Each structure stands twice: as C-alpha cells, then as structure tokens.
Amino acid sequence: MTPRVPLLCLFALFAPPAAAQGPAATPGDQVYTSDLVTRWGREVTPDTAWRSYPRPQLKRAQWQNLNGLWDYAITPSSAAQPSRMDGQILVPFPVESHLSRVARRVGPDDRIWYRRSFTIPADWRGQNVMLNFGAVDFAATVWVNGAVVGAHQGGSDAFGFDITNQLKPGANELIVQVADPTSAGSQPRGKQSLEPNGIWYTASSGIWQTVWLEPVPKLHIADVRATPDIDRGVVDVDVALNRWASDTDAVRITASSAGKPIASTIIRANRHATLAIPKARLWTPDDPFLYDLTAELVTVRDPYAGQPERDRKAYDARFTRREQESYAAAQIAGAPRDRVEAYFGMRKISVGAGPVAGQPMLLLNNKPLFHNGTLDQGWWPDGLLTPPSEEAMKSDLIFLKRAGFNMVRKHIKVEPARYYYDADHLGMLVWQDMPSGGGEDQFLAGTSQRQAVMSSEMMAQNQAELTRMIGQLRAFPSIVLWVVNNEGWGQYDSVTLARYVKGMDPTRLVNADSGWLDVAGQVSDVFDIHTYEDVPNVPTRQSARAIVIGEYGGIGLPVDGHIWRPGKRNWGYQTAADRADYLARFRRKLTEVIRQARDHGLSASVYTQTTDVEDEINGLLTYDRATSKAPPEDLARIAAPLTASPSER
C-alpha cells in the first residue's frame, strides 16, 4: 500500500519552474521531442495537415485552408523582419513540436516569423475576405502585402482580420510575427514551461491551430448564440452582425431536425429571437441528439414604408414598433446575402435535490446524473498542444466512452473547436478549465489562506482570455461547467470572476476553485476537492452546492517502448507493479467513489488521467495512444454502478 504524500510535499516537488530568461534561440537550439510518434502523426503530410472545417458552429460554404508548409525564421526581438528565412515549418503545429519539422526552443526574447503566399479564388470577387486564425500562442502581428492588418494577444482563442483593402490581384504575401514568453511571462498558458519537468510540459509556441480564409459580404453574420430552455420548450437565439444594420436588414432563423424545418422566424438584425421546439428530444450522453440551425442575412421590404412622419411623436411610435416587433410577416427581397450553419442540443444543467437528503446533486435535464470523468490534458508526443488530426483527437473521446466515462475535465487547455463538436456528437460532457497564468510567486500552496495579488495588466489579460473562451465555446452543448481556477495556480479574486462567468453564461454551472483554496462558496455551484490518497477522501457535505472530487487516481504504470524520456525517472502519484495491479488499484478507487455517490451524494469524480503526458505515466492510455493499461470493457464494468439508478448502486 503506497503511503500518502503530504500536500505540501507534492507542491514542493511539482511547484512551477522558475522563470527562464535564457539567451535567444540560435539555429541548432533544439527541443527534446522523443522518438514517440502516434499512428496519426506518421500519416501527417503538408497536404493532409488539419483539413477539417475549423469553425463548426458558424459554418460557411466557401473557405480556403492555409495549413501546410510555410517559410519560418526565429530571430532576436531586436532584429528587423528577416529577408532570409531559416527553413520551412508545417502549420499548424507548434515550433517546438516534432510534427512542425522544426523542434526549436523559443525564448522570451525571441520572435518567430512565418511567411507564405496565397491567391484569392476568382469566384470570391466582390466580397470581403477574412483571414482567420484558430489560435496563436501568444502575441501575433499580421502583415498582408507589407501592411499591418492587425495584432492579437491571447494563446487559446480564435481571431481574424478583414484583409480586403490589402489584397491585390495574383499572389499575396502573408507574414506573421509571434512572441511567446511561456513561463517567463504571466499570461495564461496552462502547463507549458521553458524548463519542462514533472507535471510541467514542453512549450507550444506560435501558430498551433488552423489558418484559413473565407469570403463574406461587407455586412455579415458574426455570431450565432443558441440557448436551449427545456422547461419552456424553446431555444433562444441571438444573431449578431459585424456592425450596425439598417431597417431593411433582417435575419431568417430556421431550426431543423433530420433535414425538416420545425421552427422558423424572421427578425430585425441584431435582435433576440425565440423558437418553439415542440416535444423536444433532449440531449444526453446516451442520446446526444442535435438540432440543425441556419441563420440567413436577408433584405426585407420596409413593412412600415409610407406611414406619415409629420411629427416627432409619429416617428417615435414607428421606431418603437420596429424595435419590438419581428419581421415575421415581412417580404424578403432577393436571395440571402449571407448564410451560416450551426446546431444546438436541448439540454439543461443545474444543481438540485438528489437521493441523499440535504445534499444537492448535479442534474442533467432535471434528473440526477453522476459525472464520471477523467482529467484530460490534450497533449501529444508529436504535436504537443496540437493533435495530429481530428481523427486522433476524437479517438480519445471514443476510448473514454468505451471505458464507461461520460465526462472529461478539459484541463487548463482550450481545444480546437472540432473537439467540442465531436464531444457534442458523441455525447461526452465537458468541464472546461480556464488556462492558468501568473508568475511563480502567484501560485498558491495547498495550505494558503489568501489569494494571489495580480497587477492590473495581468488581470486584464486573464479576464480578456476568459471572456473570449466562454464567448467562443458557449455554443457547444457538451460543455456544462466552467472551471475558473485550478489548485490556486494564479488564483485571484475568485468571487468576482465566478460572478462574472455566471453572469456571462447563466445556463451553465461554475466551479470557482477546483482543489485547495475554496473562497467562493457563495457563488460556486460545486465544492471540489483533490484527493490522491489510496482511498479517496470524502468532500465535506454542502447545503447549497454539489460535492465533487475534481482530481483523484493518478495510478502510474510505465509501459516499455511507450515512454517519453527512456532512462529518466517517470512519475505517478502511485505506481502499479503490472497491469493486474493497475486494474486492482483502479477498482479500489472506483469502489470508494461509488460508495461516496451512494452514501454521501457525491456528484462527480475526475480520474487522473486520460493519457500519459511526457514524464507522467499515470494515464489510462500511453502517451502515443498505442495501448491501454487496462481493457476499456473492464473499466466500464467497474464504473457501471455510477450511472445506474441510485437504488442499484
């Protein structure tokens, strides 16, 4: 039986590495990449690198993928734009990764330069052109044909620029400069480190998600937000345009099922709409049913044209009518000017009464449902933060479903949008963490009684990225809970942040502090403990919050031939002797979780973790996803009582 490790010792062993301020990278300053390559990574070529449509919740018919080989260079920050590049890089893989074909270190005083050319298809003539980035870590400046088109700071969120005015006939030159301080800075970055070791991993700098072009009309749809309300039997829909609209600009919204329209309306642009969804088929992990949604920008004939406007009173009355009434009876003039596709699921997540008297539970669609999840970090031996392909990324979710899990806690990383699309369609609940930031002295210890102090600039960057994360991901029904802080890593003002998140998205739950310092009990929907003891501890009973185990498990088992750094000491919270011992330890932990669910009203547990990651060997799968340490069917049988009715546990 493995002895328990005091929490302070764990913090000391795995405290964030000191800020690395080393010299600028030079050619040959290589990053360790291991010999591990996934089967999907071996199939990656410049022609196949991430071909999936990158924005499934705002999909247009026309687009152009810019992934593939680009020219690149790494220079000191004091250097001008290089006239000669260092070689080629495979976008969208991080500079430090094996799949990028570069695998070079990037320090805080370096700059990464990317360059490529592109042409605009002839049938895009007359439209504006958007240049979109799925994510770039961290600070990007973009030039088209020598003109700056925009800049962005934030390592995990999508952004784009209208480059219409900078385009020319024929070939166009695109240049991107990126700065990324990683652990030498205070920006949100998750577990990336310039000195990877233990639970801190190799940095992932530069472009790490798809780059693409799309044609749009000058006035176009910028955002579609569908919010289901199963108690009212409706879906509320907000369609926002890229700027203000005229009286004759309207949006036609249509909800469909199996290709057949079930509800439709026409509303004034930039207004709120509600569609009735009769006898809604609810989204659940066992039946992840989704409705299609289309939004079209149309022109309507002014329904109030010809009304007298002889005085201000008449004008004001006319304006009020336009503000409040839909255009449902309006006549559409001509074809739609813009059209996007999206989807939604009719589901509700809440906290309410469960089978254990006095202990609230997590409810899905007004019924208790235990969230049996894993800590899912989304790292890859060949692509680092970037999965080798969508198929590879999706394979983790498929494995977890087979192993009896119905939830993942996406741990301090934001995935490409296709990940959440796959979770929606497979029926996997998602707890989404905010990537952590802050400096070394702003990471709290397990015994800390006070939160960290951050500068106004640090807080502004963190809150900007938090806002973008929620805004860009809230369309995905699989996401049911936002995790604001993890174990005090850069934790500050949890109450304010939790209230902000709840105000921005009141339809989901908020976990203000996962593990360690719990200071937002009056706002957080759950009380979350981390317990890596051999027999998991029981969370303290709560009268107004669900109780959850946000991390536990961590059983290590090294598998020869599938180790990131052979010959180096690997790590898990405890180490199994062999596969039989691994399964026995897993069964012992899950049996205790089942008991807590039955006797104490435990609502969720998060097992550490889905896969090995670099020096960590405590995954259910090896880092290269080549083998599982226990048959998924055995794991599913052990966990089966968690999703059974309470009387059957």
Side-chain angles (χ1 to χ4, degrees):
M1 184 167 179
T2 304
R4 298 185 180 185
V5 181
L7 196 55
L8 271 174
C9 294
L10 284 177
F11 180 78
L13 187 57
F14 300 105
Q21 301 285 352
T26 58
D29 191 3
Q30 297 296 299
V31 173
Y32 178 79
T33 59
S34 180
D35 293 328
L36 282 186
V37 178
T38 65
R39 63 181 178 88
W40 303 278
R42 287 190 289 270
E43 298 172 354
V44 171
T45 71
D47 294 329
T48 63
W50 272 92
R51 300 290 106 183
S52 303
Y53 187 87
R55 195 184 55 205
Q57 281 287 30
L58 194 71
K59 184 178 179 181
R60 289 188 173 89
Q62 291 182 302
W63 69 296
Q64 181 179 336
N65 195 325
L66 296 184
N67 292 342
L69 290 175
W70 296 40
D71 297 326
Y72 92 96
I74 300 175
T75 69
S77 59
S78 58
Q81 179 181 319
S83 58
R84 183 176 180 179
M85 307 299 268
D86 295 344
Q88 290 192 310
I89 184 171
L90 184 55
V91 170
F93 298 102
V95 171
E96 298 90 345
S97 71
H98 168 81
L99 288 177
S100 73
R101 307 186 179 187
V102 174
R104 283 175 59 184
R105 180 185 185 275
V106 177
D109 296 323
D110 296 326
R111 297 296 179 265
I112 313 167
W113 295 87
Y114 297 83
R115 184 181 67 195
R116 68 158 293 160
S117 62
F118 63 91
T119 58
I120 300 299
D123 61 352
W124 291 12
R125 190 184 308 276
Q127 301 187 77
N128 284 29
V129 176
M130 294 293 299
L131 170 62
N132 299 311
F133 295 82
V136 179
D137 198 358
F138 161 69
T141 304
V142 182
W143 291 261
V144 172
N145 294 325
V148 174
V149 296
H152 177 82
Q153 285 194 346
S156 299
D157 51 273
F159 60 97
F161 307 112
D162 188 328
I163 61 172
T164 309
N165 292 337
Q166 288 74 37
L167 296 174
K168 64 181 183 180
N172 293 268
E173 183 185 60
L174 169 60
I175 292 177
V176 181
Q177 182 209 63
V178 180
D180 183 17
T182 308
S183 51
S186 60
Q187 78 288 350
R189 61 190 178 275
K191 287 194 172 185
Q192 298 182 66
S193 174
L194 292 172
E195 302 294 337
N197 185 55
I199 66 167
W200 308 101
Y201 315 140
T202 306
S204 293
S205 302
I207 298 171
W208 69 278
Q209 290 188 32
T210 293
V211 185
W212 50 294
L213 301 168
E214 66 174 336
V216 296
K218 188 173 183 179
L219 179 67
H220 58 268
I221 296 169
D223 203 0
V224 176
R225 298 187 291 270
T227 305
D229 188 329
I230 68 169
D231 297 325
R232 293 164 52 216
V234 302
V235 60
D236 294 315
V237 184
D238 296 321
V239 178
L241 305 186
N242 64 309
R243 60 174 177 82
W244 62 270
S246 70
D247 290 342
T248 57
D249 294 320
V251 175
R252 177 167 58 194
I253 304 169
T254 304
S256 304
S257 176
K260 298 180 179 179
I262 57 173
S264 185
T265 190
I266 302 173
I267 59 167
R268 179 185 170 93
N270 293 323
R271 295 296 184 272
H272 178 83
T274 299
L275 298 178
I277 308 297
K279 299 179 180 178
R281 182 172 167 182
L282 303 184
W283 186 96
T284 70
D286 292 331
D287 183 21
F289 185 81
L290 297 166
Y291 292 88
D292 294 321
L293 187 69
T294 59
E296 297 169 298
L297 176 60
V298 298
T299 302
V300 297
R301 295 185 177 90
D302 189 344
Y304 305 110
Q307 287 192 7
E309 295 187 23
R310 285 170 281 188
D311 55 35
R312 180 71 182 175
K313 182 177 180 181
Y315 178 82
D316 287 346
R318 180 168 177 258
F319 183 79
T320 301
R321 289 182 65 189
R322 286 181 176 167
E323 287 288 294
Q324 295 179 349
E325 293 184 7
S326 77
Y327 284 1
Q331 292 184 326
I332 294 176
R337 294 137 62 192
D338 192 17
R339 184 181 190 275
V340 298
E341 298 176 359
Y343 63 88
F344 64 94
M346 293 296 289
R347 67 102 183 90
K348 175 185 177 182
I349 183 72
S350 58
V351 174
V356 176
Q359 177 54 64
M361 288 198 68
L362 298 179
L363 308 180
L364 182 67
N365 302 332
N366 297 321
K367 298 178 181 179
L369 177 69
F370 191 90
H371 295 200
N372 180 33
T374 63
L375 197 72
D376 195 283
Q377 307 208 60
W379 285 75
W380 298 81
D382 39 20
L384 301 179
L385 277 186
T386 307
S389 66
E390 182 178 4
E391 181 188 1
M393 185 173 65
K394 186 177 178 180
S395 73
D396 283 357
L397 295 173
I398 293 173
F399 169 81
L400 291 174
K401 290 283 286 189
R402 289 178 56 209
F405 295 96
N406 63 6
M407 178 266 281
V408 292
R409 178 183 166 198
K410 183 46 63 178
H411 190 42
I412 53 178
K413 178 198 176 184
V414 178
E415 291 283 3
R418 300 294 304 191
Y419 180 89
Y420 306 98
Y421 171 91
D422 291 330
D424 291 342
H425 285 76
L426 290 171
M428 182 65 78
L429 302 169
V430 177
W431 291 14
Q432 178 62 51
D433 284 19
M434 171 63 190
S436 55
E440 179 183 0
D441 63 340
Q442 291 157 330
F443 279 47
L444 309 183
T447 56
S448 296
Q449 297 301 309
R450 296 178 184 275
Q451 299 182 89
V453 175
M454 298 282 197
S455 70
S456 296
E457 182 179 356
M458 291 179 188
M459 292 189 291
Q461 184 63 39
N462 183 78
Q463 286 155 215
E465 294 194 46
L466 175 64
T467 300
R468 295 178 202 143
M469 180 186 77
I470 296 170
Q472 293 178 9
L473 297 185
R474 62 183 168 187
F476 296 101
S478 56
I479 298 176
V480 294
L481 180 144
W482 304 111
V483 181
V484 180
N485 291 298
N486 176 73
E487 289 187 350
W489 299 354
Q491 177 180 333
Y492 72 94
D493 206 355
S494 287
V495 172
T496 298
L497 292 179
R499 283 179 175 150
Y500 175 73
V501 171
K502 181 66 76 171
M504 189 174 179
D505 184 8
T507 69
R508 287 182 173 87
L509 304 181
V510 174
N511 184 349
D513 306 305
S514 181
W516 297 11
L517 184 58
D518 175 52
V519 296
Q522 69 270 43
V523 186
S524 187
D525 292 301
V526 300
F527 174 66
D528 179 328
I529 70 166
H530 295 180
T531 170
Y532 284 104
E533 289 77 8
D534 191 48
V535 177
N537 291 333
V538 182
T540 305
R541 179 171 290 221
Q542 304 289 309
S543 62
R545 295 189 283 174
I547 56 174
V548 305
I549 296 177
E551 292 183 26
Y552 80 107
I555 305 168
L557 179 64
V559 179
D560 288 343
H562 304 279
I563 301 297
W564 169 253
R565 223 185 300 251
K568 183 181 182 297
R569 179 181 177 271
N570 294 298
W571 180 83
Y573 284 95
Q574 56 181 259
T575 303
D578 52 31
R579 291 177 185 267
D581 185 35
Y582 183 92
L583 188 61
R585 290 170 183 262
F586 182 88
R587 179 180 288 107
R588 182 161 62 246
K589 291 177 183 294
L590 257 291
T591 298
E592 172 60 15
V593 168
I594 293 167
R595 185 194 71 79
Q596 292 187 26
R598 181 189 64 234
D599 297 345
H600 297 278
L602 184 72
S603 280
S605 61
V606 180
Y607 180 83
T608 301
Q609 59 185 328
T610 303
T611 73
D612 294 349
V613 183
E614 298 201 354
D615 294 335
E616 294 187 52
I617 43 89
N618 49 18
L620 297 167
L621 293 165
T622 55
Y623 196 16
D624 57 3
R625 278 71 167 178
T627 184
S628 61
K629 300 176 187 179
E633 295 77 14
D634 289 352
L635 301 176
R637 278 192 290 271
I638 294 170
L642 288 173
T643 51
S645 64
S647 61
E648 296 174 338
R649 289 176 183 157

